[in-house]
Each structure stands twice: as C-alpha cells, then as structure tokens.
Amino acid sequence: MEINSILFDFDGTLADTMPNHYMAWKEVLADYDKEISETDYYPLEGFNLIEIAKKLGPSSPTEGVINQIVKRKKEVYVHICRANPPKLYDGVQSLLEELTAKNFRFGIVTAGHLDQL
C-alpha cells in the first residue's frame, strides 16, 4: 500500500495556536469577573468550547450565558489571530515543501468552526 496523501490537524499540530486561544478566553471571561491563568486553560486543550466555558466561566451559568461566552470567544479569537497570526511550528514549512516536491497531496482537517473563517 502506497501512501500519497496526508491529512493534518491545524491547531496545535501545524501551528502554535494555544497562546491566541488563551488570550481570547482570558479577555472574554474577564467580562464575567473570571480571571484565568495559563495553568487553568492549557490542560483543557482539546476540549470543546462549551466544555471550556462551563469549566472556566461563571458558577452555575445558564445555557444562554454559555452560548454568549462561546460566541464572544470565537469573535475575539478571530480578532486576535488577525492581529497576531499563529506561527507554524519549526519544520512545518520545510515538511510541506518536501511533501509537495514528492507529489504528496495534503490537506488540513480541523475541529475549528466555519464561522471563524
């Protein structure tokens, strides 16, 4: 079996997006008088947005509040990324160039949200 195609995840695999996600959560949760540190957020890598909002957000939030937090986090994250695009990890650019030179097809898959594009 010959492999000629590769799929990559983006967040945390090709690019270091965690700092931007952290900054977005920190900004949004400050509106709810919640202060978070990197040690609060980073262990939640891979959790979905609703789970993170429930874990880090206000005590006993309604579903509506959780949805507001998630919506606002997405907006803030896009704004932060436009001002400070995530950096590719070392070696990613050369890997993609090498794959291209060897006629590999590759694509990016993500759990990201279409409304963040």
Side-chain angles (χ1 to χ4, degrees):
M1 171 187 223
E2 184 176 316
I3 297 174
N4 62 7
S5 301
I6 300 173
L7 299 175
F8 293 98
D9 183 31
F10 185 75
D11 280 332
T13 302
L14 296 179
D16 186 10
T17 56
M18 287 296 286
N20 287 0
H21 282 293
Y22 167 67
M23 288 188 293
W25 280 112
K26 187 173 176 85
E27 181 177 327
V28 170
L29 293 173
D31 293 340
Y32 295 85
D33 296 321
K34 296 292 289 189
E35 198 170 309
I36 63 166
S37 68
E38 289 179 353
T39 57
D40 296 322
Y41 173 65
Y42 276 60
L44 302 177
E45 181 178 16
F47 282 57
N48 72 45
L49 297 176
I50 291 172
E51 291 171 345
I52 295 171
K54 287 178 180 178
K55 287 184 181 297
L56 298 178
S59 300
S60 304
T62 64
E63 185 177 334
V65 168
I66 291 296
N67 291 336
Q68 287 174 336
I69 291 171
V70 167
K71 181 177 186 240
R72 182 75 180 123
K73 188 275 178 182
K74 291 178 186 180
E75 294 167 352
V76 171
Y77 179 74
V78 169
H79 177 76
I80 289 171
C81 286
R82 286 186 178 143
N84 183 31
K87 305 280 189 261
L88 293 177
Y89 285 115
D90 291 342
V92 168
Q93 184 68 40
S94 60
L95 171 65
L96 297 177
E97 289 169 2
E98 185 176 333
L99 291 172
T100 300
K102 293 181 178 181
N103 295 317
F104 276 82
R105 296 180 305 176
F106 54 89
I108 296 174
V109 295
T110 184
H113 299 261
L114 289 176
D115 56 356
Q116 290 182 302
L117 299 176

